Amino acid sequence: MTDISQSAAVPGTAPQRPAATLSARLARWLPRLVMAPSFLVVLIGVYLFIAWTLWISLSSSAMLPRYDFVGLEQYVRLWNTPRWHTAVINLFLFTGLFLAVTIALGLLMAILLDQNIRAEGVLRTVYLYPMALSFIVTGTAWKWVLNPELGVEKVVQSWGWDTFAFDWITRPETAIYCVVIAAVWQSTGFAMAIFLAGLRGIDSSIIKAAQIEGASLPRIYASIIVPLLRPAFLSVIVLLSYISIKSFDLVLALTNAGPGGSTEMPSTFMFAYTFQRNQMGVGAASAIMMLMTVAAIIIPYLYSELREDTHGH
Amino acid sequence: MATKSLARQQMLGRLFIYSALILLALYYLMPLWVMVTTSLKPLDEIYSGSFIGLPQEITFEAWSKAWSGACIGTECTGLRPYFVNSIMMVVPAVLLSTGLGALNGYVLTKWRFKGANLVFGMMLFGCFLPYQAVILPMAQVLGRLGLSGSIPGLVLVHTVYGICFTSLFFRNYFITIPDELTKAAQIDGAGFFRIFLSIMLPAALPIIVVSCIWQFTQVWNDFLFGVSFTSGSDTPITVALNNIVNVTTGRKQYNVDMASAMIAAIPTLLVYVVAGRYFVRGLTAGAVKG
């Protein structure tokens, strides 16, 4: 941070004259004035509103906001709610699986695509198009695909495998895996794009040298290339965790948090308690928990990115 | 002999790579394929168990029903009015946030002031804000501004949170334009806006496209703000789609569901197919530092 702000050769400062005219002073302040409205709305929309939500979470608000102070009562209530426990467990289960599968598959796709493939552009387009879709569309499509009466289960059975069962979406113990399947489908292309960009940044002479040494291609990837992709891994992990914590639309469209509340996530919990169950205080407390989780991941990441950025320039 | 088996091994390797890639492609295309074919089938054919195959009889009935006849609650207007709502929301939100983002990026790189980095950092965190943490106060404020439940209200919300992303895009792009260029223009007497309009903007065309596409996709696909702040006939298309799909009365009309999902998906898919390169750049901007 110090680097930029101090070394900044401010081109906007007017030459220092003893009696700066009004227009010169205006010219000097103009950039800040132009930026001010944007900064102000962000200040209000992000930071003031977070403080406001925090306040509601410390009040006795139920159907309407009430601005009193009851300490951590709502948080105690939140952590005593079995539905919230389900939501937190699901979040960890979902995030773990979603990250592991998306990263493994995305990396595999990037490595395969990096082998001088013909029609690479077409394949990339195919892998990445789900990212352009709304989670509601994805949820709707997968709900249909995973539907046991008419979807994949029925098709495989009609091929002759009579006992084939794929009714995960209707069973409380397995429905969360359906959310993982759909989320992975939507996001692998994104992981692939970042890994591919990382692979393209690696000097190809390293691979050639290792090949001359007699190392096999899988070995080269495992011991040389993948470790070089560290920054890409970091980005993918952080951004996918963020996607998974805030994922709301997908769960709603695919399972509507069911069956029987079994796919509840913090985001759906927050929405239900705030807007449908008239427990605004508990809803706000859950939102603050979500925010704290995201902040714990994102702030160190942004800090390290910005620091490297400053040194780079 | 040795070279021959090596060549064979290599060919087998290529074969493996291509088959894996094609299988994956089929997997990624499957849901889209199923959506399109289901939307073109008559309902009886769907219930008789045709899931993955081509329609035996192609009908656009489901599409026309989804567009102008399907019921959402008690209103049987189809998706058309909600499609219009989304357009009315997306166009101003994209233009406003991109315009403001361009100005912010320009100030943050070419007119650096004390604390500019802090300002940028604070905006950057806004890109990763879980919106659940702000919807309650936002609902209160929209109510007091008289904008609650309206499309202009959603435009405001999307502009506020969109600025964080667009400022990041433009800041990271403008930082690559040499300062000498703007300094020289200043010596020639060009002012703040003059430099912006005649030097920065013309150079920024690619990033303007990236920003517009990113914002278009984000705003069009948003569900949380739409469902939290609007209801009834004022909702954007994603909310309406979810309502159509969740109708529980009567025989489930899967073909209409799929046609509705396609209608909601087509605008962003079209943008992606036409300008995929720019879309990917927006997507990876959060990961690749400028």
Side-chain angles (χ1 to χ4, degrees):
Chain A
M1 196 152 84
T2 44
D3 279 24
I4 276 192
S5 49
Q6 280 169 9
S7 68
V10 185
T13 33
Q16 296 295 320
R17 260 172 289 157
T21 59
L22 188 68
S23 72
R25 257 165 53 193
L26 186 72
R28 198 154 46 151
W29 279 92
L30 191 59
R32 270 169 267 200
L33 283 176
V34 166
M35 181 114 196
S38 297
F39 185 55
L40 194 69
V41 292
V42 171
L43 214 54
I44 295 172
V46 178
Y47 298 94
L48 182 75
F49 282 8
I50 288 175
W52 192 337
T53 305
L54 185 67
W55 188 8
I56 294 177
S57 78
L58 298 172
S59 75
S60 65
S61 306
M63 200 171 110
L64 291 167
R66 237 178 316 196
Y67 297 105
D68 52 356
F69 181 78
V70 296
L72 296 176
E73 210 171 90
Q74 305 284 10
Y75 290 87
V76 173
R77 199 175 297 165
L78 174 72
W79 284 99
N80 282 328
T81 309
R83 247 178 104 169
W84 175 251
H85 293 170
T86 315
V88 172
I89 292 167
N90 275 339
L91 178 67
F92 279 104
L93 191 65
F94 173 81
T95 307
L97 281 172
F98 168 65
L99 254 71
V101 182
T102 309
I103 288 173
L105 206 56
L107 183 62
L108 177 74
M109 277 151 69
I111 290 175
L112 290 177
L113 270 185
D114 200 30
Q115 311 297 321
N116 286 319
I117 295 300
R118 243 183 258 193
E120 187 203 312
V122 178
L123 286 167
R124 239 183 15 209
T125 308
V126 168
Y127 297 152
L128 205 57
Y129 85 90
M131 216 49 209
L133 299 178
S134 149
F135 273 117
I136 300 290
V137 172
T138 303
T140 307
W142 278 94
K143 194 174 173 177
W144 170 230
V145 171
L146 296 168
N147 165 349
E149 281 147 46
L150 297 164
V152 168
E153 180 179 296
K154 173 95 182 251
V155 171
V156 176
Q157 282 175 357
S158 75
W159 289 341
W161 185 356
D162 298 335
T163 52
F164 179 81
F166 192 45
D167 54 354
W168 289 4
I169 200 164
T170 57
R171 300 220 316 254
E173 324 85 77
T174 48
I176 189 75
Y177 302 117
C178 293
V179 185
V180 175
I181 293 175
V184 167
W185 178 80
Q186 175 130 2
S187 311
T188 340
F190 170 64
M192 177 210 71
I194 294 178
F195 282 130
L196 199 57
L199 286 171
R200 296 279 146 91
I202 292 174
D203 189 356
S204 62
S205 63
I206 301 176
I207 305 179
K208 288 215 181 83
Q211 259 172 336
I212 290 165
E213 299 271 309
S216 68
L217 209 54
R219 196 125 184 201
I220 295 173
Y221 271 98
S223 54
I224 302 175
I225 302 201
V226 171
L228 281 175
L229 287 177
R230 234 181 75 98
F233 270 99
L234 182 67
S235 301
V236 170
I237 290 172
V238 168
L239 298 172
L240 290 181
S241 313
Y242 166 66
I243 291 178
S244 102
I245 293 166
K246 66 166 203 159
S247 64
F248 166 68
D249 354 16
L250 182 62
V251 183
L252 219 62
L254 189 64
T255 62
N256 199 6
S262 61
T263 50
E264 189 80 78
M265 292 276 254
S267 53
T268 53
F269 178 96
M270 188 273 164
F271 189 79
Y273 272 68
T274 306
F275 293 107
Q276 291 156 356
R277 293 183 151 220
N278 295 330
Q279 300 215 36
M280 203 180 267
V282 176
S286 68
I288 294 293
M289 299 308 303
M290 289 176 68
L291 176 73
M292 279 162 52
T293 316
V294 169
I297 299 169
I298 290 293
I299 289 177
Y301 171 72
L302 288 183
Y303 188 71
S304 75
E305 292 271 293
L306 276 182
R307 259 170 56 120
E308 283 172 44
D309 203 21
T310 337
H311 292 302
H313 288 281
Chain B
M1 194 62 201
T3 50
K4 218 174 178 180
S5 79
L6 197 71
R8 214 170 116 176
Q9 211 182 1
Q10 250 178 3
M11 224 179 70
L12 274 175
R14 298 302 283 178
L15 197 68
F16 167 76
I17 291 173
Y18 275 101
S19 357
L21 285 171
I22 289 169
L23 274 177
L24 282 164
L26 289 178
Y27 174 69
Y28 281 88
L29 283 173
M30 183 266 290
L32 185 66
W33 167 262
V34 170
M35 266 203 281
V36 173
T37 53
T38 304
S39 74
L40 296 173
K41 288 174 190 168
L43 202 55
D44 287 332
E45 196 181 321
I46 293 170
Y47 274 94
S48 69
S50 145
F51 171 72
I52 207 110
L54 274 169
Q56 282 158 353
E57 177 193 336
I58 290 184
T59 163
F60 290 94
E61 211 178 299
W63 281 77
S64 83
K65 198 161 178 201
W67 181 245
S68 57
C71 298
I72 298 159
T74 51
E75 302 276 321
C76 294
T77 54
L79 281 177
R80 188 170 45 190
Y82 304 95
F83 195 92
V84 174
N85 282 350
S86 274
I87 301 260
M88 306 276 281
M89 165 181 80
V90 165
V91 173
V94 168
L95 294 180
L96 274 171
S97 56
T98 300
L100 288 169
L103 279 170
N104 294 341
Y106 170 51
V107 172
L108 284 171
T109 52
K110 301 297 168 226
W111 300 82
R112 272 167 253 162
F113 51 88
K114 223 175 154 193
N117 255 27
L118 182 67
V119 168
F120 176 60
M122 286 176 78
M123 286 186 136
L124 202 53
F125 180 69
C127 297
F128 296 98
L129 175 74
Y131 296 129
Q132 280 83 3
V134 294
I135 43 180
L136 266 171
M138 186 53 100
Q140 303 284 321
V141 168
L142 286 179
R144 263 169 235 182
L145 292 175
L147 289 172
S148 79
S150 71
I151 294 296
L154 285 182
V155 171
L156 177 71
V157 175
H158 284 298
T159 305
V160 170
Y161 298 109
I163 287 176
C164 300
F165 289 95
T166 56
S167 301
L168 168 71
F169 294 151
F170 281 98
R171 184 255 183 202
N172 284 358
Y173 188 83
F174 283 153
I175 213 162
T176 62
I177 293 179
D179 286 351
E180 286 74 28
L181 219 61
T182 46
K183 272 184 208 151
Q186 240 189 338
I187 291 165
D188 290 343
F192 179 85
F193 286 110
R194 185 69 202 280
I195 296 174
F196 179 67
L197 291 174
S198 54
I199 297 181
M200 303 306 274
L201 274 193
L205 204 62
I207 206 70
I208 293 174
V209 178
V210 169
S211 171
C212 286
I213 289 179
W214 173 264
Q215 278 301 100
F216 177 83
T217 320
Q218 290 294 103
V219 178
W220 184 274
N221 286 345
D222 163 71
F223 178 74
L224 180 63
F225 288 144
V227 78
S228 304
F229 303 140
T230 56
S231 60
S233 60
D234 294 317
T235 62
I237 193 160
T238 46
V239 179
L241 167 65
N242 194 48
N243 290 341
I244 287 187
V245 174
N246 283 330
V247 167
T248 44
T249 49
R251 198 181 188 201
K252 197 134 184 44
Q253 304 200 322
Y254 290 108
N255 51 357
V256 177
D257 288 0
M258 291 305 126
S260 307
M262 284 305 299
I263 290 172
I266 281 173
T268 49
L269 272 184
L270 214 61
V271 166
Y272 171 66
V273 169
V274 172
R277 200 157 54 90
Y278 295 100
F279 177 77
V280 176
R281 251 177 87 176
L283 214 56
T284 49
V288 185
K289 27 190 190 286

